[in-house]
Amino acid sequence: MATPHTPRSRKSQVPPPDTPLVPCHTSQFDYRTGDLELGREAVLTDLRRYLQVPFGSLAKCVGAVPSQQLLEEMRDDFIRSEILTDNGLEWKDFIRPAKMSEEMSFKLEGIISGILEQVPNCGVSYLSNPNKMLLSERHNTSLPDGYLMHWFDIAVPFEFKKEQDAKAFRDNEHKIIWSLHNIMREDPCRRFAFGITIEDTQLRLWLGNRGFLAVTEPINCFEDIDGVTSLFYVLGSASTSTSLKGLGWDPTIERIRVEEKTQYRFTVGDEVFTTTRELATYGADSMVGRGTRVYEATDAKGKKVAIKDSWREIDRQSEGEIVEKILASCEKKLGTEDFADAKRHFIGVRLWKDVTIDDASDETVNPVAGYEHDGTWKSKPIDLKPILSERPHLSTTGDVPDSGRLSAFLPAQLGIVGRKETRIPQRVHARIVFDDVGVAIKDVISLADNLSCLSGGLKGKSLTPPLALSYLHKAGWVHRDFSVRNVSWIVGDNGGIGKLSDFEYAKEIDSNTSHDDRTGTMHFTAIELEYQEYFFLPRASLPPASTSLDTDPPLPPPFPMNFLHDIESAWWAYTWIFFYHTDTITANSNNSFDAHAQWRQFQLAFPGAIWQGTPLNFFTQIRRLQWTCKSILSDRCSNVCKNISHFAQTLRDSYETAESKYPLLALDDSLLKDMHRKAAGYLDDAQQNAGDIKLCLLPKLLEQKRPREEGETSDNAGKRIRHG
């Protein structure tokens, strides 16, 4: 007997809808082309807007401003050192020119240096026309007009313009945002960064952190002597601490050199872990967001672990707490044997802690909290007009390849879901350490191992349902972000095993919580979740023609995610494996295989943007899908995945069953068990037919690089490895 699921009558008990998917442009192809203009456009499009706050409120976020007595003493000193005019009302280098020139802007060096000299033990200095190499392995290729520098690191970037028109403001904004983005992207030690722009006489202070981008209302840098003095004094004072935490450095991370490579020591609670290599840093490409970085590391005894550093929403539970609750649900709802097996197929968590600095939780600031103008902030859109530059930049590592489509073919703003800001977004800095260190499914080149990993079964044994996902669903949870980077192949003494990871977005099926952040990875998101509507409802009968059209139709119930959407994500991952790769024998042969035709089909199935329609057609047009797999994929691959269309049809049948009594949803245990059993069968058949096939990345083949031989590892060491 099906158990109906429908929103309850009381509003407080209605499960909220899942947040619609919002595309991240810094994870798409344009950002990774190396074109500076496209890179900036991606960053600005993701940000969309910034907060404008009073100058004094943001300046106080740097540190305590000097007292009026200290300001007067500094004025006297500036007069004696001829930085100020004798009356103390003007900077001597700027006796109010008609227009500030960019050359004159660099004369600020004397003024800023004079202010910094007033700060005891100041740890930064001002430089213009920068030409020094930075410590970062991926340095910014569009250097700012000037900056405060700490040793070889940019502490505060500057941008200048002699005009005060809209074009000057826009150009400075684009450049300072790009500089702040680079600082946050390149350096794991940076929690936030300040920047300064000057357009003619108008000076603005910027703050970029993982919660928001903020800028002050401008002050007149010629007339507001105390304001300029206070700003650079507090910036200099923030540099006096050896940790430089006031300028955004993280005292709980230490940058070190190991065998000519940069590594990091992370403090998590009472333990210290030393990184050995990057596993994934794609999350840091988004200036505002979680900023997730994952590293392989070792503890004090040399044991290998994985460590994740990220910034979660302040009102959201930590991933460690979520995993703990999932395991508690599994223990309660599964038998003893199944519970033990479930733990084996979830990534092992060693410890998790929120980062603390000076015994306080490390959180993004609220720039107007406690300020006399608390609440007087504006959310302003960023002008996204083109930026003309062709200098390249380098992207981060560990990202999931997208469709490879340029933004010229897709609207830049496509799929962005806007929302009205009602509060300053805040995030908390968190770390989690995993016992298991493996290889994401996207990096496994043995097709048999790849499919074993996807299924979550033990290599060499008859495959059971995709175990981790099955146990998660039986325990009453949905994962909400199943993808090829969230399933890892862990190799141990007894062979390999697939383990499910990244539970940050997991939620109990009947949960009454909702958040503004996106759920799901674009390529692998279920069609219904992408559009936030049910596609497999029974055909509705029209009302009688005599029915009044003035009556509003009933509002649809909220759209929560269910277990079928998770399983569809697994289907998309299964499909991605075959359409993003071919086998190495075909790649090395001179037969009639058309790699370009397969790439075009990949772009249709995985377009890299939402609401395109082509993934919906790809998933629902079953006969065409069957023909596509047979005619487009190589013979060796199509023989393995010949059940892709059958898997899709089974999912469609299950959707129709679940939605047959809409608005009631028949998501009962029998449907759950049946769908998992059939999904396991499809993956089992494919794994048994995979043999010794090794995978070749289709983009590499299209770039006409030499494909890997059977059993050969990629030249990208540590990113793609051989198993079996």
Side-chain angles (χ1 to χ4, degrees):
M1 181 71 179
T3 303
H5 288 251
T6 190
R8 298 170 179 83
S9 58
R10 288 193 299 167
K11 186 175 181 181
S12 62
Q13 293 179 322
V14 175
D18 277 293
T19 308
L21 184 69
V22 179
C24 179
H25 292 75
T26 51
S27 69
Q28 296 180 36
F29 181 78
D30 288 12
Y31 179 79
R32 298 196 300 273
T33 59
D35 184 285
L36 182 59
E37 179 184 345
L38 292 176
R40 280 184 182 167
E41 184 179 350
V43 171
L44 296 171
T45 303
D46 277 347
L47 285 169
R48 308 196 301 281
R49 55 187 60 247
Y50 54 71
L51 308 180
Q52 187 179 68
V53 300
F55 183 86
S57 68
L58 194 55
K60 287 182 177 179
C61 290
V62 185
V65 297
S67 65
Q68 190 60 42
Q69 179 181 348
L70 181 56
L71 285 171
E72 291 174 1
E73 291 174 358
M74 285 192 285
R75 270 182 181 261
D76 292 340
D77 192 69
F78 294 156
I79 293 172
R80 287 192 296 271
S81 58
E82 299 189 342
I83 293 175
L84 284 175
T85 56
D86 292 342
N87 60 9
L89 299 179
E90 293 182 291
W91 303 111
K92 199 159 189 179
D93 279 343
F94 298 109
I95 307 299
R96 188 52 185 167
K99 282 286 184 181
M100 175 189 278
S101 68
E102 293 190 32
E103 179 182 354
M104 291 178 71
S105 298
F106 296 124
K107 292 184 179 180
L108 281 171
E109 183 169 353
I111 297 173
I112 296 172
S113 297
I115 299 172
L116 295 178
E117 286 174 3
Q118 300 289 321
V119 180
N121 304 314
C122 182
V124 293
S125 57
Y126 177 79
L127 292 176
S128 58
N129 289 326
N131 55 13
K132 293 189 176 182
M133 180 65 69
L134 308 180
L135 283 181
S136 302
E137 294 181 1
R138 295 184 306 109
H139 61 278
N140 184 359
T141 56
S142 178
L143 291 172
D145 292 332
Y147 48 60
L148 295 184
M149 192 171 187
H150 172 71
W151 292 99
F152 295 99
D153 281 325
I154 291 179
V156 181
F158 291 68
E159 292 292 346
F160 302 112
K161 282 288 178 292
K162 61 183 178 181
E163 295 89 3
Q164 198 182 137
D165 56 23
K167 184 177 181 297
F169 273 85
R170 182 175 66 247
D171 190 61
N172 262 1
E173 286 181 358
H174 290 180
K175 288 179 178 179
I176 200 68
I177 290 171
W178 180 251
S179 290
L180 295 174
H181 160 75
N182 269 277
I183 289 171
M184 299 291 289
R185 181 189 71 173
E186 294 177 11
D187 192 353
C189 299
R190 295 301 288 271
R191 299 149 48 232
F192 58 83
F194 291 103
I196 292 173
T197 55
I198 300 178
E199 297 87 21
D200 187 26
T201 63
Q202 302 300 294
L203 182 150
R204 295 181 292 169
L205 175 64
W206 295 76
L207 169 64
N209 61 34
R210 294 301 181 187
F212 55 84
L213 173 69
V215 62
T216 65
E217 297 165 347
I219 64 169
N220 189 307
C221 59
F222 285 140
E223 298 175 358
D224 193 345
I225 304 296
D226 286 350
V228 172
T229 302
S230 296
L231 173 61
F232 289 106
Y233 188 87
V234 295
L235 288 171
S237 298
S239 71
T240 58
S241 166
T242 55
S243 69
L244 295 176
K245 60 181 184 292
L247 292 179
W249 269 272
D250 189 339
T252 67
I253 305 177
E254 180 186 2
R255 183 167 54 196
I256 59 175
R257 297 289 289 180
V258 178
E259 297 179 353
E260 302 303 317
K261 291 185 178 181
T262 300
Q263 302 293 352
Y264 301 92
R265 288 198 182 104
F266 284 84
T267 298
V268 186
D270 297 328
E271 297 191 58
V272 177
F273 301 89
T274 303
T275 65
T276 53
R277 66 184 177 102
E278 291 180 349
L279 295 178
T281 61
Y282 50 82
D285 284 340
S286 295
M287 185 171 174
V288 171
R290 294 210 166 201
T292 302
R293 290 182 170 94
V294 186
Y295 298 89
E296 180 183 275
T298 56
D299 64 12
K301 296 181 179 180
K303 184 182 184 302
K304 188 182 294 185
V305 298
I307 182 169
K308 179 193 287 188
D309 181 89
S310 64
W311 294 76
R312 73 175 186 276
E313 299 79 356
I314 202 164
D315 58 348
R316 184 181 279 274
Q317 290 180 319
S318 70
E319 184 176 4
E321 291 175 303
I322 293 172
V323 172
E324 194 173 62
K325 288 190 173 185
I326 289 172
L327 291 175
S329 296
C330 288
E331 185 174 21
K332 181 179 179 181
K333 298 180 181 181
L334 306 179
T336 304
E337 186 176 342
D338 281 351
F339 174 55
D341 206 32
K343 289 195 293 185
R344 291 177 56 250
H345 287 87
F346 294 153
I347 204 81
V349 176
R350 173 165 167 172
L351 78 155
W352 69 91
K353 295 283 185 181
D354 288 347
V355 176
T356 57
I357 297 176
D358 295 336
D359 298 323
S361 176
D362 186 20
E363 301 172 2
T364 57
V365 301
N366 182 341
V368 296
Y371 188 67
E372 58 181 328
H373 300 298
D374 188 7
T376 60
W377 55 275
K378 303 174 184 177
S379 182
K380 302 193 69 174
I382 295 173
D383 188 344
L384 294 176
K385 290 184 179 178
I387 311 134
L388 300 177
S389 178
E390 296 181 353
R391 284 185 288 181
H393 74 280
L394 299 175
S395 63
T396 44
T397 61
D399 52 302
V400 178
D402 69 0
S403 65
R405 282 187 142 183
L406 292 172
S407 61
F409 301 102
L410 297 173
Q413 297 257 30
L414 185 63
I416 288 180
V417 179
R419 63 178 187 270
K420 184 178 180 181
E421 298 285 0
T422 58
R423 60 185 177 86
I424 302 288
Q426 287 187 272
R427 292 178 178 267
V428 60
H429 196 183
R431 294 190 184 125
I432 184 168
V433 180
F434 303 100
D435 285 318
D436 298 311
V437 184
V439 182
I441 191 174
K442 69 184 181 67
D443 296 323
V444 178
I445 67 171
S446 163
L447 181 56
D449 287 352
N450 208 308
L451 295 170
S452 274
C453 182
L454 181 61
S455 175
L458 289 172
K459 181 182 175 185
K461 293 188 176 182
S462 177
L463 296 180
T464 51
L467 286 176
L469 209 53
S470 174
Y471 289 138
L472 191 71
H473 293 160
K474 288 179 181 178
W477 289 71
V478 283
H479 187 274
R480 305 202 303 159
D481 193 19
F482 190 96
S483 75
V484 295
R485 73 183 183 205
N486 294 343
V487 184
S488 296
W489 183 243
I490 311 295
V491 179
D493 295 337
N494 298 319
I497 183 173
K499 295 198 175 191
L500 186 60
S501 63
D502 284 7
F503 294 94
E504 295 159 298
Y505 302 106
K507 188 166 74 171
E508 287 186 276
I509 292 172
D510 295 327
S511 172
N512 284 319
T513 61
S514 182
H515 296 272
D516 285 337
D517 61 312
R518 65 104 177 113
T519 53
T521 300
M522 190 179 301
H523 281 340
F524 312 102
T525 300
I527 296 297
E528 290 189 338
L529 188 63
E530 178 180 337
Y531 287 88
Q532 292 288 287
E533 65 176 288
Y534 296 105
F535 279 108
F536 306 98
L537 303 173
R539 181 178 298 176
S541 57
L542 291 173
S546 60
T547 303
S548 172
L549 298 179
D550 295 333
T551 304
D552 292 331
L555 293 175
F559 183 90
M561 188 172 180
N562 61 59
F563 62 79
L564 290 175
H565 299 131
D566 267 349
I567 299 174
E568 186 187 328
S569 293
W571 179 85
W572 283 108
Y574 178 45
T575 303
W576 181 89
I577 291 168
F578 290 96
F579 278 80
Y580 196 71
H581 302 84
T582 190
D583 64 279
T584 52
I585 288 179
T586 297
N588 282 304
S589 67
N590 294 317
N591 62 16
S592 59
F593 170 69
D594 190 344
H596 291 279
Q598 180 175 322
W599 186 244
R600 287 192 294 272
Q601 285 297 322
F602 175 82
Q603 290 176 326
L604 291 173
F606 304 95
I610 66 173
W611 303 337
Q612 290 296 286
T614 52
L616 173 62
N617 295 335
F618 187 86
F619 176 66
T620 56
Q621 296 177 3
I622 304 299
R623 290 191 178 276
R624 184 173 181 82
L625 173 60
Q626 190 174 34
W627 176 87
T628 299
C629 293
K630 179 66 177 175
S631 61
I632 297 298
L633 302 178
S634 71
D635 290 341
R636 299 187 84 209
C637 286
S638 65
N639 287 335
V640 176
C641 68
K642 55 191 175 185
N643 58 24
I644 280 181
S645 57
H646 298 83
F647 194 166
Q649 181 64 61
T650 300
L651 269 167
R652 179 168 181 164
D653 292 343
S654 296
Y655 278 127
E656 290 175 354
T657 298
E659 298 168 17
S660 61
K661 303 296 183 182
Y662 179 84
L664 298 177
L665 298 179
L667 298 167
D668 63 345
D669 291 341
S670 63
L671 181 63
L672 172 66
K673 188 178 297 183
D674 182 64
M675 188 63 245
H676 271 293
R677 178 181 59 80
K678 290 177 179 177
Y682 296 130
L683 295 175
D684 191 2
D685 289 343
Q687 195 268 348
Q688 291 180 17
N689 291 325
D692 60 354
I693 291 176
K694 299 297 185 293
L695 297 173
C696 170
L697 285 168
L698 198 62
K700 287 204 170 187
L701 181 60
L702 292 171
E703 290 169 5
Q704 298 182 338
K705 293 183 178 180
R706 182 181 65 83
R708 294 188 300 275
E709 300 292 339
E710 292 286 343
E712 181 185 358
T713 60
S714 167
D715 55 4
N716 187 5
K719 297 298 186 294
R720 296 180 66 84
I721 66 174
R722 178 170 62 91
H723 296 294

